[in-house]
Amino acid sequence: MSLLFSPLKIKDVEIKNRIMMSPMCQYSAKDGHAKDWHFVHYGTRAVGGAGLIMFEATAVLPKGRITYGDLGLWTEEHAQRLKHITNFIKSQGSVAGIQLAHAGRKASLQLPKDGDGPLRDAEGAWEIVAPSAIPFGNNYQVPTALSICDIHSIEESFANAAQKAFVAGFEVVEIHAAHGYLINEFMSPATNKRTDDYGGSFENRIRFLLEIIDHIKFVWPDNLPIFVRISATDYVDGSWDINQSIMLAKELKKKGIDVIDVSSGGLVPDAKIQYDFGYQLAFAERIHKETGIMTATVGMNTTAEQGEMILRDDMSDIVVYGRELLRDPYFALNAAKVVHDDIEWPVQYIRAKNK
Ligand SMILES: Cc1cc2nc3c(=O)[nH]c(=O)nc-3n(C[C@H](O)[C@H](O)[C@H](O)COP(=O)(O)O)c2cc1C
């Protein structure tokens, strides 16, 4: 059997292969609610054989959405609509995960199709929050620095969403601590200028994330995995970097986090990043090898052979495919052929399996 199609058991969840669909915003929700689009989009990737399907960044509060089109999970009704989708994903033998997020100073943006910039008042802009009152870029709204009381309230919102994620049938939650959104903004010296318990030292900057984890663990079953997606570096001199990511990984391991999903960037608009296969792989490998925690590696993974090589060289435990799965929802079914594995196909498609 190939490594890419070997199962992975994390706590009580068995994932049938190492292919994870990366969380990718669909900008197609209404008031945070999933629509037919989400059912077809996620359902098709389950039919296509991906082992773990990570739903897009899902806001824990209305004001934590990046755009009006983001998924949200702050009411029972949000959970009920998602349950319909997770039931179908399970019926196909895949595992459904959900990325819980708060967009911080990168909230209140236009849909990408409308320009991706900050929403103007006439377009329904809402007040945004961050650790410090520093805007993302020129022309972006200046966020309000969060009070301690508001920090605690957002932490509780993550737990509220995690509890609803369980009701909605998700078996993995991923905390979105990457890409310059709220948690990442606390971690990074470039965006966190606080002088209280949540700013300054490394311990203070990661406190918000660690407290969110504690809150989530109150409501999320012990036998189900928790992932954290991080940006291994901000690509900003003197800010968050791979060494701090490794220090963080050690803390997360102590907290019982199962997998670190290793991405990078997103904190500042002008970071210089060379986008090639493997551009984030060395970060995942170092975190995995230097701390022993499981990692998922993402970024320009497009082929089965790459996945096989990553696993063979023990650079990561899970291979995450993003845009490749947008181009080809049946990527996993086809990848199995490439690595000469005979996997089960949906019965409806058996006649297409071999020619
Ligand atoms: C349309 C789109 C939406 C995305 N939304 C999210 C998201 O919700 N959460 C997240 O962590 N990353 C998001 N990303 C980043 C991807 O998850 C992934 O890390 C990135 O595309 C690199 O992987 P790839 O080269 O395999 O696509 C998004 C990327 C795309 C293309």
Side-chain angles (χ1 to χ4, degrees), residues 278-303:
Y279 73 103
Q280 295 173 150
L281 179 56
F283 301 135
E285 182 182 15
R286 274 195 66 186
I287 291 171
H288 176 57
K289 291 189 172 155
E290 291 182 35
T291 70
I293 198 165
M294 279 196 267
T295 56
T297 181
V298 65
M300 302 290 278
N301 298 325
T302 55
T303 71

Side-chain angles (χ1 to χ4, degrees), residues 50-179:
L52 172 58
I53 297 177
M54 191 62 73
F55 280 42
E56 65 204 77
T58 300
V60 300
L61 286 168
K63 286 187 173 177
R65 288 176 293 173
I66 308 165
T67 75
Y68 276 116
D70 290 21
L71 277 184
L73 192 43
W74 53 84
T75 70
E76 295 300 330
E77 201 190 335
H78 289 104
Q80 285 317 318
R81 297 213 195 161
L82 290 166
K83 188 154 182 54
H84 180 47
I85 312 178
T86 62
N87 281 344
F88 180 77
I89 288 173
K90 270 185 215 163
S91 77
Q92 301 304 302
S94 297
V95 171
I98 187 161
Q99 190 186 51
L100 300 180
H102 189 300
R105 70 175 189 168
K106 287 169 72 178
S108 187
L109 300 187
Q110 296 165 328
L111 300 174
K113 73 175 177 62
D114 297 336
D116 222 4
L119 279 176
R120 289 179 287 268
D121 287 344
E123 296 171 309
W126 63 86
E127 192 201 327
I128 62 173
V129 295
S132 303
I134 308 168
F136 178 62
N138 291 338
N139 306 319
Y140 282 75
Q141 207 188 130
V142 179
T144 302
L146 285 163
S147 67
I148 299 276
C149 181
D150 288 339
I151 288 175
H152 292 161
S153 158
I154 292 175
E155 290 171 357
E156 279 163 25
S157 303
F158 270 89
N160 176 50
Q163 184 270 332
K164 291 188 167 50
F166 177 66
V167 171
F170 290 98
E171 294 178 275
V172 177
V173 288
E174 174 167 282
I175 301 168
H176 197 350
H179 300 169

Side-chain angles (χ1 to χ4, degrees), residues 190-325:
T191 42
N192 183 347
K193 304 291 180 195
R194 299 179 73 95
T195 52
D196 59 12
D197 286 351
Y198 293 87
S201 66
F202 170 78
E203 287 69 25
N204 281 356
R205 284 180 281 113
I206 65 167
R207 189 181 308 283
F208 182 52
L209 171 58
L210 297 189
E211 288 181 353
I212 286 172
I213 293 169
D214 288 340
H215 277 78
I216 289 180
K217 287 178 84 174
F218 268 121
V219 296
W220 184 251
D222 287 342
N223 63 333
L224 298 182
I226 306 178
F227 291 19
V228 175
R229 176 170 272 202
I230 63 165
S231 280
T233 172
D234 297 335
Y235 305 101
V236 176
D237 284 344
S239 191
W240 186 264
D241 58 16
I242 180 63
N243 293 326
Q244 290 170 79
S245 293
I246 290 167
M247 283 161 62
L248 174 68
K250 290 179 183 159
E251 296 302 317
L252 297 185
K253 196 176 171 200
K254 278 193 237 154
K255 281 260 172 224
I257 291 300
D258 300 282
V259 173
I260 304 192
D261 176 6
V262 185
S263 187
S264 71
L267 190 81
V268 294
D270 50 2
K272 301 273 172 292
I273 308 175
Q274 183 73 38
Y275 294 102
D276 291 315
F277 165 67
Y279 73 103
Q280 295 173 150
L281 179 56
F283 301 135
E285 182 182 15
R286 274 195 66 186
I287 291 171
H288 176 57
K289 291 189 172 155
E290 291 182 35
T291 70
I293 198 165
M294 279 196 267
T295 56
T297 181
V298 65
M300 302 290 278
N301 298 325
T302 55
T303 71
E305 291 95 335
Q306 289 166 347
E308 197 61 18
M309 184 273 290
I310 289 167
L311 297 167
R312 187 198 58 217
D313 293 349
D314 192 30
M315 299 166 101
S316 243
D317 304 273
I318 296 173
V319 186
V320 186
Y321 294 86
R323 286 161 293 174
E324 189 56 30
L325 272 164

Side-chain angles (χ1 to χ4, degrees), residues 27 101 142 168 348:
Y27 310 106
V142 179
Q348 294 86 342

